[in-house]
Amino acid sequence: MEMNNSLADSARERYCLLCSLGAAITAVVIGALVLLGWALDVPILKSPLPGYATMKPLTAICFVLCGMALALHASGPTGLATPSAGSRAAPIAAALGAVISLASIVEYALHLDVIDELLFHQTLLATHIPNPGRMDPGTALGLLLIALALAGLDAELPGATRISAVLALLSSLMGMIAILRHLYGVEATYRFFGF
């Protein structure tokens, strides 16, 4: 009986890791396609869904970094493969995503444009909208939370795993609110503090 439980747990863990890997690949592909859209000025690639606002280049970079961190973690020593240099790169990729997200939040709070338009400057200015490269503050906060959660997964600190789980849950809840906002057009959640 005990052996059957351990086999079931092992199969469940493997299934969860495969789902994580699938989500990671999806995030990397979406981010890379959006970056390609900005690089080649292809409007259909700049937005994950036609008719919606474009994904900003820094958001796409954070998608790629967080997706890479999740993929490296899911295939790392506690995941599907043996320890490697790639598994040690996971917290670095996540930390870079956290820095970009935090910088976007600081820029929003201070009304600055320092890193928003570093990439694709001319293409962004051609959109003729105010702050054309600025990441939405709710998106930046959600990406900051998920990047911190990914960066802390392998931290050897007491309670780091629980903190990562809480940060990931908060990020997921913010994403759910954004999805509901778009589905039902709830205006109150369009403002940053609506979250």
Side-chain angles (χ1 to χ4, degrees):
M1 182 75 163
E2 191 173 307
M3 187 169 155
N4 286 340
N5 286 340
S6 66
L7 287 174
D9 288 344
S10 176
R12 188 173 322 135
E13 184 177 332
R14 187 165 183 78
Y15 176 76
C16 289
L17 288 169
L18 287 172
C19 287
S20 297
L21 197 54
I25 291 168
T26 302
V28 170
V29 168
I30 288 173
L33 285 174
V34 169
L35 287 172
L36 184 65
W38 281 105
L40 302 177
D41 199 18
V42 178
I44 197 165
L45 292 179
K46 293 178 186 178
S47 177
L49 296 173
Y52 284 92
T54 59
M55 182 186 283
K56 305 305 181 207
L58 291 180
T59 305
I61 290 170
C62 287
F63 264 56
V64 170
L65 289 169
C66 288
M68 286 173 39
L70 182 57
L72 291 168
H73 182 73
S75 61
T78 59
L80 300 171
T82 57
S84 66
S87 64
R88 290 186 289 274
I92 295 169
L96 285 173
V99 167
I100 291 170
S101 301
L102 183 60
S104 293
I105 292 170
V106 169
E107 281 188 342
Y108 181 80
L110 299 178
H111 304 289
L112 297 174
D113 286 318
V114 179
I115 66 165
D116 291 339
E117 297 168 14
L118 284 178
L119 300 172
F120 315 113
H121 181 72
Q122 295 303 322
T123 308
L124 286 166
L125 290 180
T127 61
H128 301 293
I129 59 172
N131 306 313
R134 185 172 288 166
M135 189 187 307
D136 180 74
T139 302
L141 181 59
L143 287 170
L144 174 63
L145 293 173
I146 200 68
L148 290 173
L150 288 166
L153 276 177
D154 290 329
E156 295 180 11
L157 301 170
T161 304
R162 272 189 244 128
I163 292 170
S164 288
V166 169
L167 292 173
L169 179 62
L170 289 174
S171 178
S172 298
L173 289 173
M174 288 183 69
M176 183 66 80
I177 290 170
I179 290 169
L180 292 173
R181 169 181 71 194
H182 289 298
L183 287 176
Y184 296 105
V186 180
E187 295 293 323
T189 60
Y190 278 95
R191 292 179 303 281
F192 176 68
F193 292 104
F195 281 104

